[in-house]
Amino acid sequence: VNETLLANTISTSGIFIIAGVIIYFTVTDLEKSLISLKKNEKKLIARNEELSQLQENLQERANELEKVNQKSERQTARLKLITEVSQEITLTQDLAELLSKITEKISEGFGFHHVGVFFLEEAGKIARLKATNSVSGKKMLELGHLIDTSGHNFIARVVRNRKPQVAFKVNENHTDFEASIPETRSKIGLPLSIREKIIGVLDIQSADEYVFSEEEVEAFESLANQAAIAVENAHQATITQAALKEAQETS
């Protein structure tokens, strides 16, 4: 009996030992598997973060590309309009009609609420408004609006610096704010030059802020040059017609 009991005890102990060994290795494998899963989880999280960042970067690139495309389309449209306006004004020989057409075509083509043309007088000491399209501008024109070019106003700076001047965000506190045209929020002044001599200023004003980018300034400068040439041609045509008329009357 004792031997049987001892044998059973040994057998049972052996079973428990074997079971313990199996459990130990099973738990060890499970722990290793858990550790491996945690490592993989961290890697997956890191990879997801990288993919998320990459997606954000791609979206930013796409947005930037869209902005560039929109800007390019806007500039192309502007250049096309400038070319069309230039062609129309260069065909006009009558000076008064030309000045009126310059202000109207630029205003209509680009949606600017005010366009004015100033001519220099008294050896460049005064800039006198000669043509405009806006209601406010026409009131100024009737009053014989002129500007002292020795001052620090917007038009005077164009004349003195001999290059375009831009105001991006005009309000009542801005130095270039004009009470006579209070709706203006951005503006550009462009010299009208013939053979490096300034004969006047093209004044363009918008009701929107930040309208004139650096690229657009160059484009409008080209338009101002075309306008100056058209003015000079119309002026010469007027002189020629007057001389011809005088010759005919004398004859």
Side-chain angles (χ1 to χ4, degrees):
V1 176
N2 290 335
E3 291 178 358
T4 302
L5 181 61
L6 179 61
N8 290 336
T9 301
I10 293 172
S11 177
T12 303
S13 298
I15 292 172
F16 278 115
I17 291 171
I18 293 170
V21 171
I22 293 171
I23 292 171
Y24 170 78
F25 284 109
T26 302
V27 171
T28 302
D29 289 340
L30 288 172
E31 288 178 348
K32 289 180 179 179
S33 298
L34 183 60
I35 293 171
S36 179
L37 286 172
K38 287 182 178 179
K39 288 182 179 179
N40 290 335
E41 183 182 10
K42 289 180 180 179
K43 289 180 180 179
L44 286 172
I45 291 173
R47 184 58 178 166
N48 286 336
E49 289 176 353
E50 290 177 1
L51 290 173
S52 179
Q53 184 63 47
L54 180 60
Q55 186 177 6
E56 290 179 6
N57 293 338
L58 288 173
Q59 186 61 47
E60 289 177 3
R61 297 285 184 181
N63 293 338
E64 290 175 3
L65 183 60
E66 184 178 357
K67 289 180 181 178
V68 170
N69 288 336
Q70 289 176 351
K71 184 178 180 180
S72 177
E73 290 175 359
R74 185 171 65 251
Q75 290 175 352
T76 300
R78 282 281 172 96
L79 288 172
K80 182 180 178 181
L81 276 171
I82 285 173
T83 301
E84 292 174 355
V85 172
S86 298
Q87 290 174 345
E88 288 195 44
I89 63 178
T90 52
L91 296 174
T92 306
Q93 292 289 306
D94 182 76
L95 185 58
E97 181 185 350
L98 171 64
L99 296 178
S100 177
K101 183 172 288 188
I102 288 173
T103 60
E104 290 175 1
K105 292 298 180 181
I106 294 176
S107 174
E108 292 172 2
F110 300 98
F112 299 132
H113 73 282
H114 173 81
V115 180
V117 176
F118 288 83
F119 277 179
L120 296 184
E121 298 179 358
E122 298 183 17
K125 295 180 180 179
I126 290 174
R128 185 183 298 275
L129 182 65
K130 301 294 289 186
T132 182
N133 70 297
S134 68
V135 175
S136 300
K138 288 178 180 178
K139 290 180 181 179
M140 296 164 63
L141 190 62
E142 290 175 359
L143 296 173
H145 181 64
L146 52 84
I147 291 174
D148 181 1
T149 57
S150 64
H152 297 283
N153 59 78
F154 191 71
I155 300 299
R157 293 204 306 275
V158 177
V159 176
R160 282 201 309 276
N161 296 324
R162 306 175 66 85
K163 62 182 181 180
Q165 300 294 306
V166 182
F168 296 104
K169 189 176 181 180
V170 179
N171 53 41
E172 293 180 358
N173 300 319
H174 198 283
T175 54
D176 294 320
F177 176 76
E178 294 182 62
S180 54
I181 316 177
E183 61 270 32
T184 295
R185 290 296 172 266
S186 60
K187 60 201 297 187
I188 182 172
L190 302 139
L192 298 173
S193 303
I194 296 294
R195 292 180 291 277
E196 298 185 358
K197 178 184 177 182
I198 296 179
I199 62 172
V201 176
L202 179 61
D203 178 31
I204 303 174
Q205 303 186 21
S206 172
D208 299 318
E209 297 178 351
Y210 299 103
V211 169
F212 305 100
S213 67
E214 185 174 341
E215 295 83 359
E216 288 171 333
V217 169
E218 294 178 359
F220 281 108
E221 191 172 11
S222 174
L223 176 59
N225 292 335
Q226 293 295 322
I229 293 171
V231 167
E232 178 67 10
N233 290 340
H235 181 64
Q236 292 299 327
T238 300
I239 294 175
T240 301
Q241 289 172 2
L244 180 61
K245 182 179 180 181
E246 183 179 352
Q248 289 174 341
E249 289 175 351
T250 302
S251 177

